[in-house]
Amino acid sequence: MELKDILSQFKDDLKKIDSLDALELMRFKYVGKKSLIAEALEEIAKLSIEEKKALGKKINEAKQEIKEKINELQAGLSGAKSESAQDLFYKTLPGKKPAAGHLHIISQAIEEIVDIFKPLGFTRVRHPEIDWEHFAFEALNIPSTHPARDEWETFFIDALPDKKYGRQVITPHTSNGQVHEMLRGQLPIRMLGISRCGRRQEDINHLQTFFQFEGLAVDKGINITHLKGTLDYFAKNFFGPGRETRLRPYDFRFTEPSFEVDINCGLCLGKGCKFCKEGWVELGGAGMVHPNVLRAGKIDPNIYTGFAFGFGVERTYMMKSGTKIDDIRHLLNNDLRFLEQF
Ligand code: FA5
């Protein structure tokens, strides 16, 4: 290659250099042992002495010039300049971290609830969120004509009903899982069913879509003290020592006796406020499994007894000390200003 072509190529290559490694390769290419300049010097061996002298001098001057340019650029690249200029090539500065997300508070609450019940032997299970009327009501001792059905403000699915199981529903409570679990035929049962539920309700205390967690224990000799002990254990572990629970007699069709479980409000600690009105907030229902429900699950009520409870995940979380959420709908609004606080 002629000297002028070598120099013009060198100029072009120089513009593309963006790292010390690339610069080193260029040094080999132009001034190393087997470089273009070395080849040019070999070429002149064939020329006359006069020509050799003249061209040799030019080639050596060009070599010197190339070396100087390379050294100059090297100084610039290797830190004689600012840290950021150097970093452009070495990429040593830490990169910008992408914003880290976290689990939604409802998922956090579910994880915490599962962890609390695990040591008692309750295993998390899931049952259909779209289910047959049979499991949501009939099997739970609520026949189609019974007025107690109204309380569940149910969404019905617009689909053909099944002859045996009736219509399909967005299950209004996780109690539909009780008979599903019993029909698996494995006793004893320690189930923690957590699923989405739907009801035709919406205000500061009610969502159309919410989660419930349902505990069910079936075994020989289960009695009401096991239920009370389990609820107290949960309240102590989830809410902390400052919170109290109370049981109020109630009339669920699928438990006998039945209770509503209340906890003193986490916002006003029992004084009464906009959220709770009278100081207590309902967490959910509980009771001893009704013999008819055991029968629907093919379990003999003369041998086995059980307790069950069903709480709303969102309400339970809102009652936790320190969360101070005064409208349940905030939980589903997906407003980052709200969600990032938890
Ligand atoms: C039931 O759903 C019964 N299945 C609970 C039960 C299970 C009783 C096992 C006995 C044995 P209730 O309708 O009260 O009960 O609802 C239970 C809890 O779910 C409520 O206390 C509340 O915490 C939550 N909940 C109910 N409806 C809504 C709603 N629309 N939005 C948010 N949470 C709700």
Side-chain angles (χ1 to χ4, degrees):
M1 192 188 273
E2 286 196 23
L3 186 61
K4 68 173 178 22
D5 295 329
I6 297 176
L7 288 173
S8 115
Q9 194 175 321
F10 174 73
K11 266 192 195 163
D12 289 344
D13 280 355
L14 205 60
K15 287 181 205 150
K16 296 175 208 152
I17 292 300
D18 65 354
S19 72
L20 282 166
D21 289 343
L23 190 66
E24 235 13 65
L25 289 177
M26 208 163 146
R27 198 194 299 275
F28 289 131
K29 179 174 173 185
Y30 288 95
V31 292
K33 269 190 186 168
K34 291 185 177 170
S35 61
L36 293 175
I37 290 288
E39 273 174 25
L41 282 169
E42 270 170 32
E43 287 288 309
I44 62 172
K46 302 164 201 157
L47 302 176
S48 68
I49 294 182
E50 290 306 304
E51 284 171 325
K52 235 192 258 180
K53 262 194 189 169
L55 197 55
K57 190 167 173 246
K58 276 191 186 163
I59 293 175
N60 278 323
E61 280 169 3
K63 186 178 178 181
Q64 198 52 35
E65 197 183 318
I66 288 173
K67 274 185 173 172
E68 278 168 19
K69 276 262 167 4
I70 288 177
N71 289 343
E72 216 173 273
L73 194 57
Q74 186 182 16
L77 290 178
S78 62
K81 295 246 173 104
S82 71
E83 194 187 334
S84 60
Q86 179 187 353
D87 199 59
L88 196 62
F89 304 113
Y90 279 122
K91 303 187 171 58
T92 55
L93 284 180
K96 281 188 191 158
K97 285 198 182 133
H102 62 70
L103 287 180
H104 189 278
I105 33 183
I106 297 177
S107 303
Q108 290 179 32
I110 289 175
E111 285 197 347
E112 195 178 341
I113 292 164
V114 170
D115 285 348
I116 290 174
F117 281 105
K118 215 184 272 171
L120 298 189
F122 285 83
T123 306
R124 184 180 179 186
V125 292
R126 290 189 81 150
H127 295 110
E129 290 172 354
I130 306 274
D131 205 355
W132 300 108
E133 226 175 340
H134 172 81
F135 291 98
F137 299 116
E138 257 91 1
L140 295 178
N141 203 29
I142 316 178
S144 59
T145 49
H146 200 283
R149 282 217 182 180
D150 293 350
E151 286 171 34
W152 272 273
E153 307 208 42
T154 310
F155 287 110
F156 288 89
I157 305 286
D158 198 4
L160 277 182
D162 181 82
K163 276 200 189 115
K164 191 167 162 204
Y165 292 132
R167 289 172 289 176
Q168 283 179 35
V169 295
I170 297 179
T171 181
H173 56 173
T174 42
S175 298
N176 67 321
Q178 291 189 16
V179 171
H180 280 295
E181 193 65 24
M182 292 176 196
L183 290 175
R184 289 175 62 209
Q186 285 174 3
L187 287 164
I189 294 172
R190 299 277 186 283
M191 142 193 136
L192 184 66
I194 308 184
S195 297
R196 211 177 262 114
C197 305
R199 291 191 197 179
R200 291 181 286 109
Q201 312 172 319
E202 193 177 317
D203 57 40
I204 67 165
N205 261 326
H206 295 89
L207 292 165
Q208 295 196 14
T209 300
F210 58 100
F211 281 88
Q212 279 189 351
F213 59 105
E214 181 100 3
L216 173 71
V218 179
D219 207 341
K220 289 177 184 158
I222 294 273
N223 62 48
I224 207 161
T225 62
H226 298 125
L227 168 65
K228 183 71 167 65
T230 305
L231 295 176
D232 285 349
Y233 162 86
F234 173 71
K236 199 163 103 213
N237 281 280
F238 192 80
F239 298 104
R243 309 298 293 282
E244 291 172 44
T245 59
R246 72 177 183 188
L247 297 181
R248 265 184 296 119
Y250 199 67
D251 60 350
F252 292 111
R253 292 273 308 167
F254 35 94
T255 43
E256 182 57 37
S258 302
F259 306 102
E260 287 217 305
V261 184
D262 294 340
I263 183 155
N264 59 340
C265 171
L267 291 175
C268 65
L269 290 175
K271 285 188 214 119
C273 65
K274 170 182 150 197
F275 175 68
C276 67
K277 298 194 175 70
E278 38 175 58
W280 291 89
V281 183
E282 167 201 320
L283 277 178
M288 299 304 292
V289 181
H290 196 290
N292 285 349
V293 178
L294 290 170
R295 282 188 200 104
K298 306 224 178 316
I299 294 175
D300 184 348
N302 296 315
I303 304 175
Y304 287 94
T305 49
F307 69 72
F309 58 87
F311 292 0
V313 170
E314 296 82 359
R315 291 256 197 104
T316 305
Y317 183 77
M318 286 165 71
M319 289 300 95
K320 211 170 154 81
S321 295
T323 48
K324 302 214 180 252
I325 301 168
D326 63 1
D327 187 333
I328 197 166
R329 291 166 296 192
H330 287 317
L331 294 169
L332 294 193
N333 280 346
N334 284 336
D335 184 336
L336 286 181
R337 287 169 306 178
F338 172 78
L339 294 175
E340 279 172 353
Q341 297 172 57
F342 301 96

